[in-house]
Amino acid sequence: MPPDRTIRHVAVIGGGVVAHSAAAALRRRTPWIAVTLVPTPIDPAALADTMMPTLPSIHGFHADLRLSDQDTVARSGSALRLGTRFVGWAAHDYVHAYGAYGQALGSTPFHLQWLRLARAGQALPFDHYAPAALLARRGHTSGLPEGVAETGLQLDLPRYAAMLAALVRHCGVRVVPEGIAGVDRRADGGIDAVITADGTRCTADLFIDAAGPASPLRPAGDGDWDDWSAGPGCDRMIRVTGPATAVVPPCDTVTAFAAGWHWSAATASHAEHGICYASRWCDDDTAAQVLAGACGIMPGAAPVVLRPGTRRTPWRGNCVAIGDAATAIEPLEWTNLHLAHSAIDRIIAMLPDCACDAVELAEYNRQTLAEVTRVRDFVLLHYAACHRDDHFWQAAAGAPLPPSLAHTLALFRDRGRLPVYAEETFARDSWLAVLLGQGEAPARLDPLAQATPLPLVAQTIQAMGAALAAALPAVSPSAALAAQSGPMPR
Amino acid sequence: MERHDPVRVVIIGGGTAGWMTAAALARLLGHACTVHLIESEQIGIVGVGEATLPQMRAFNARLGIAEADFMAWTRGTFKLGIEFRDWGKIGDSYIHPFGTFGRGRGEVDFHHYWARLRALGVPVRPLEDYSFACAMARANRFAIPASDPAAIASTFGYAYHFDATLFAPYLRALAESAGVRRTEGEVVAVARDGASGDIAQLTLRSGETVAGDLFVDCSGFRSLLLGEALGEPWQDWSHWLPADRAVAMPCRSQGELTPYTSAIAMPAGWRWRIPLQHRTGNGYVYASAFLPDDRAADALQAAIEGAPIAPPRPLRFRAGRRQRSWVNNCVAIGLASGFLEPLESTSIHLVQAAISQLVELFPARRVSPIERDEFNRLVDYEYDRIRDFLILHYHATTRRDSPFWDYVRTMPIPDSLAEKIDLFRRRGRVVKHREGVFMDASWIAVYVGQGIVPQGHDPRADAVDAADLAASLHRLHDEIRTTVAAAPLHAAHIRATCAMPDAA
């Protein structure tokens, strides 16, 4: 028998949700692995550790940890979220929810028929055909028919983090005192041990750097960073916490302003408001004023600096970077924790042995980079498809795009189709929700869709819209009030 | 309000590719285009691509072709996979199934458990004994997949073998009833627009001119429009796939009707065996640099099982493709766009995949470069993946019995394939694909079937007690065996559901 090279000991570095999630997932799913957690202070720029809204993929991650909704929603105070309401991005606001928008007519996708009807002036807005989006507009979180949509979570972060910390201890993770004093490297560049603040030497077969943008286990300036800061988007963020609203809203709200966007998200216990902006177009005081104007709270803390970009090889030798240590992307569409979860799943599914053979790492890195590239495309889509006339937005809409996004937009603008790439986080209907929500329309109608006569399409889609409107609960008083107040100021 | 002038589509060539394209466009886009097909009876059709992949079923369904009718008309049989004989070494035999190993449902792929037991020295059966599709194929039985996803009899798909010379007329009838116009004639001149370079019209030998907006080149190896008129460069792959000839010779069927294609390795290539209702198709695909033509025909004749029913028919080709399949207003489909030997039955699949993309990306009267780029991106993806998969069959061998096998065993292979092989050899990992042709089980079948056994396995496979694991493999094999035994023989299933008319 060859010597046993199975990975039996992993050290996870980091003090936030990402590090705790990684440690717990390894104990639950690869129980022969001993896990040491080396906590580090949480960096406010570590968005995967600090953003409240999550994508629906978190439920599958929880299921693998054997956490139930009872644990994550009821016990830790999280709320279900149906999606995001986008205000000020286009002439009308729209809801990006997770689930189907309409139903296919025969073999043609719904949106190709909707486009015909919209051109004829006979269609409701696209999101009125998505059960979850319409429910959110009506101010409800529950009442969806089974299986038509997925929900994300609005995390009550202090309680959620405490629950994960308890789970980590319950799973038998060894937690050492906080802080890193040094890293012992091997001659080949791999890591021998992490020295903690109290001088403990933590050896392991594999090290996971989940310590945020500082990425303490990866040598600075190792030439691996793909810098996105020249592209459109935001590089500063300010957040404030406020009191809970009377009713927990079914979705968060993301509002465009002259030089970026601000958001509101809430659980039963509190609300969070924040603003992301481009420092080139907006100074910190102005941003603070805009945020205060939107939520009524003047922020006190200094802005967080965002440095958008990604590692091309997040896994090198016996060290893999995840979360903000691997990819820093602005929080629009709340992808940060999703990318971290996906990395943890991928580490487990592709676990090598102690040799961390280059062939295996290359495949991990290839898949990870393909996923990150399309997530970045989806975030950039919001800028590329926004037609506001402020300088910032004009510059963003005119900026050169990465080839995969340029091709996606070109194909959609030509004929309403979308190309599919190998690693997609967001489903076709999510791309459509944003594109059609922001008023994009293809130059021409799809010939295949035109096999069905327009009057028949009109009848079918109008019946679909009416049936959905009748099946969902009526507009809640809070949603009615919000609608009366009109769109948010620009 | 939505009315447009219909796009005038002109298809050159009336083989399988031409009539499949015509039928699909007329059926699905009859409201948006007119279809005019030009074929010459002077030019024969290649039509040896008689074995297909499961994706063919979706294509037929979309065109409204009923399976039983199609099978009876084309003398079709069912296909559960491909048997490869003598590839890794002489005496080997494995099946590449259209199905999974194990149930295909666990978090860890079945072959990791299998590899672990092997590494422990626990006796296990060959991997294919744990595949329902393989077991049913070996037993010469066939039944339609079960609908309950928990049933072992649901873990496979199937394709067809059929007589391609009967398929084209079948499609022609369908296409003509849907309004396709057919002209008998030979193209002698191609006129292009000076400014755009688009094809404007074709002149036939009769003097007739045919104008169009979109030209579909289904002219076979000649590639009359894309290759000759537009001069799209050829990407040669013959250094990886050196076979450049085939000789075909059908024979009377002997023995039980197999529900699979056979690909039997030969000293300078390989031999196909395709069971049909009325005969067995045979052919020897070989590299002319390693074997003279007359010896190939003799070798084939000596190898086939029954009396020949036609003289040997020679074919010539080159492995490779045109750099782009869609250039200007001309789309090449089938052999006019490229050629990959039929080792994995991909000829008709490539035709069908191109047609499906053309239907989805059907242009207006003026072609937009964006839809053309997307079409080419998707076609590239299919070609490259199939190319690597084919090369794997030649490269993963220990055969040293002929100069041909010495060449393919030691030739440099594409980096994209070398990486895939290394990844599997290291720990049984298979590069995951979202969709399309040849998913995980296909690659696993060929790797393992040709002697690339993983050195390691997914460590999660160690989490189960080895004795329990061995017992569950044993139970799985029993379940497969008893379920297969209850299925009808392939020949009986055909007699009961889709026999050709003259046999009824």
Side-chain angles (χ1 to χ4, degrees), chain A residues 29 360 407 417 444 447, chain B residues 31 107 360 371 374 427:
Chain A
R29 298 173 65 190
E360 295 181 77
H407 178 65
R417 297 251 175 194
R444 65 199 172 86
Chain B
H31 59 284
E107 199 186 343
E360 301 294 317
E371 58 217 7
E374 174 67 357
R427 197 177 307 286

Side-chain angles (χ1 to χ4, degrees), chain A residues 82-103:
Chain A
L82 294 173
T84 299
R85 181 165 159 248
F86 285 88
V87 179
W89 294 74
H92 303 281
D93 61 353
Y94 69 94
V95 176
H96 168 205
Y98 312 109
Y101 281 67
Q103 296 152 29

Side-chain angles (χ1 to χ4, degrees), chain B residues 80-102:
Chain B
L80 292 164
I82 305 174
E83 178 209 15
F84 289 91
R85 232 185 281 164
D86 300 336
W87 283 81
K89 62 179 193 298
I90 292 175
D92 277 0
S93 168
Y94 71 92
I95 286 183
H96 160 201
F98 299 148
T100 59
F101 295 99

Side-chain angles (χ1 to χ4, degrees), chain B residues 77-163:
Chain B
T77 63
F78 294 99
K79 172 175 175 183
L80 292 164
I82 305 174
E83 178 209 15
F84 289 91
R85 232 185 281 164
D86 300 336
W87 283 81
K89 62 179 193 298
I90 292 175
D92 277 0
S93 168
Y94 71 92
I95 286 183
H96 160 201
F98 299 148
T100 59
F101 295 99
R103 290 184 185 274
R105 286 153 60 91
E107 199 186 343
V108 178
D109 285 342
F110 177 82
H111 69 282
H112 290 288
Y113 295 106
W114 177 82
R116 177 192 167 207
L117 288 182
R118 263 181 116 241
L120 288 173
V122 176
V124 286
R125 300 179 150 273
L127 185 60
E128 73 168 45
D129 286 6
Y130 304 103
S131 159
F132 185 81
C134 292
M136 189 151 71
R138 292 286 188 197
N140 291 324
R141 292 179 184 273
F142 183 81
I144 300 294
S147 52
D148 171 10
I152 192 73
S154 73
T155 59
F156 70 103
Y158 66 92
Y160 312 113
H161 305 107
F162 58 81
D163 185 337

Side-chain angles (χ1 to χ4, degrees), chain A residues 164-245:
Chain A
L164 280 183
L167 176 66
V168 156
R169 287 172 195 278
H170 171 76
C171 290
V173 173
R174 181 175 142 237
V175 183
V176 300
E178 184 178 271
I180 298 184
V183 179
D184 270 1
R185 291 189 191 275
R186 304 187 305 227
D188 67 358
I191 295 173
D192 225 4
V194 169
I195 318 297
T196 64
D198 68 346
T200 313
R201 214 169 160 272
C202 285
T203 58
D205 301 324
L206 176 69
F207 293 82
I208 298 180
D209 186 341
S215 187
L217 298 196
R218 294 288 295 259
D222 59 0
D224 192 36
W225 189 250
D226 188 6
D227 187 345
W228 297 339
S229 56
C234 299
D235 61 355
R236 295 285 186 280
M237 183 176 82
I238 305 173
R239 284 183 280 204
V240 294
T241 301
T245 46

Side-chain angles (χ1 to χ4, degrees), chain A residues 55-56 81-84 96-100 132 149-152 333-334 426 430:
Chain A
L55 298 184
R81 60 179 287 271
L82 294 173
T84 299
H96 168 205
Y98 312 109
E150 295 180 292
T151 56
E333 293 286 2
W334 326 122
F426 291 94
S430 283

